[in-house]
Amino acid sequence: MPRYLAIFGTFARACLVRDLTFRANFILECLTSLGWMSMNLAFYLLVFTFTPEIGRGTGWTKEPFFAFVATGMIINSIVQALFMPSAEELTEMVRSGGLDGVLVKPLDAQFLLSMHRVDFSALANGIVGIVLLGWAVSRFDIPPPLIAWAIYPLLLLCGVAILYAMVIMLAAATIQMGRNQSLYDFWFYLTNFSRYPAEIYSGPWGGPLRAICTFVIPILLVVNVPARVIAQPLAGATWWAVAGTVLAALAAVIISRWVFQRSLARYRSASS
């Protein structure tokens, strides 16, 4: 583990040097990301001028909902910074044969393929998310208990782990198909489900969709559970959700590792 941390630190330093070499581009990427997020926040503010709560009786009033949004920003910024830049390069590596060079290196292939690039501009949204979370929590009628703050970082890591597992699953599909230019698009469509409280998925169509996105593809656990721990009172159902999220994260990482290894075992060199 210390060896891989040191190697990742080398990757991160190299990426930071590259970003700072082209400062104008780095600043522009940060501003673009912040501009997109600002428009989303403005939309949510507009929504709350017409309703005091997202869903009747759900508890997602203005401040709790913005804590939910902030949680999603933090989790997604980590994934976008650490994993997505490398995943986006995988299609070209498979097509051109660059994957062959990765496989002969004396390091874990999954580590190299998923963490060799870091996009520091993506962390701008995470910083805004932390500020937004502080603002929202400071306006709660009842502040979150200490146990909620103790569990919250663990659940953030679980959310990151679930999304990372999905990135690895998509990477495995890319290796199998040999060409998958829609990787990022599919990722965007999939993560859209995690951007809203689970309570909005109700009714004859929403209920089955909620079940699938909770128990089959646990995308609804990524943001909903950590946000609920901070924004709403802890109750028996919440503790079950916390345990389920931890187990889902462990299962997702293990399954994605197995699927990725199977894909590598079936990979044929681009030159073969």
Side-chain angles (χ1 to χ4, degrees), residues 146-219:
L146 291 178
I147 186 64
W149 287 115
I151 298 172
Y152 186 70
L154 171 63
L155 294 174
L156 290 182
L157 290 177
C158 289
V160 171
I162 291 172
L163 292 185
Y164 172 72
M166 293 183 181
V167 171
I168 295 301
M169 292 281 199
L170 293 175
T174 298
I175 294 172
Q176 288 288 314
M177 291 186 289
R179 186 177 182 89
N180 182 13
Q181 297 290 352
S182 61
L183 173 65
Y184 188 81
D185 293 336
F186 185 76
W187 165 260
F188 179 78
Y189 300 145
L190 189 63
T191 54
N192 261 344
F193 289 106
S194 68
R195 294 176 57 190
Y196 307 103
E199 287 81 359
I200 73 168
Y201 300 103
S202 59
W205 291 98
L209 184 61
R210 179 176 178 177
I212 293 172
C213 291
T214 300
F215 300 106
V216 180
I217 306 174
I219 194 70

Side-chain angles (χ1 to χ4, degrees), residues 57-78:
T58 63
W60 293 112
T61 54
K62 183 178 179 180
E63 287 77 17
F65 181 76
F66 276 103
F68 178 96
V69 172
T71 301
M73 291 171 65
I74 295 169
I75 293 173
N76 280 289
S77 69
I78 295 173

Side-chain angles (χ1 to χ4, degrees), residues 83-271:
F83 310 127
M84 287 307 296
S86 300
E88 290 172 14
E89 292 183 353
L90 182 58
T91 296
E92 182 61 23
M93 293 177 68
V94 173
R95 188 193 65 81
S96 64
L99 180 58
D100 300 359
V102 173
L103 296 179
V104 299
K105 288 182 171 61
L107 291 169
D108 184 75
Q110 181 175 322
F111 167 77
L112 285 176
L113 290 172
S114 62
M115 301 185 71
H116 69 274
R117 284 197 60 189
V118 179
D119 182 7
F120 285 93
S121 64
L123 295 176
N125 279 344
I127 296 172
V128 174
I130 293 173
V131 174
L132 180 62
L133 179 66
W135 172 84
V137 171
S138 68
R139 297 172 64 88
F140 286 178
D141 295 332
I142 301 175
L146 291 178
I147 186 64
W149 287 115
I151 298 172
Y152 186 70
L154 171 63
L155 294 174
L156 290 182
L157 290 177
C158 289
V160 171
I162 291 172
L163 292 185
Y164 172 72
M166 293 183 181
V167 171
I168 295 301
M169 292 281 199
L170 293 175
T174 298
I175 294 172
Q176 288 288 314
M177 291 186 289
R179 186 177 182 89
N180 182 13
Q181 297 290 352
S182 61
L183 173 65
Y184 188 81
D185 293 336
F186 185 76
W187 165 260
F188 179 78
Y189 300 145
L190 189 63
T191 54
N192 261 344
F193 289 106
S194 68
R195 294 176 57 190
Y196 307 103
E199 287 81 359
I200 73 168
Y201 300 103
S202 59
W205 291 98
L209 184 61
R210 179 176 178 177
I212 293 172
C213 291
T214 300
F215 300 106
V216 180
I217 306 174
I219 194 70
L220 286 181
L221 301 179
V222 171
V223 180
N224 274 271
V225 178
R228 189 180 302 279
V229 164
I230 285 295
Q232 298 185 5
L234 292 172
T238 304
W239 288 111
W240 281 110
V242 169
T245 301
V246 174
L247 292 176
L250 290 173
V253 171
I254 293 171
I255 293 172
S256 64
R257 174 71 175 179
W258 179 80
V259 171
F260 186 80
Q261 293 295 330
R262 289 291 299 270
S263 296
L264 286 183
R266 297 181 180 180
Y267 170 69
R268 296 295 178 265
S269 171
S271 60

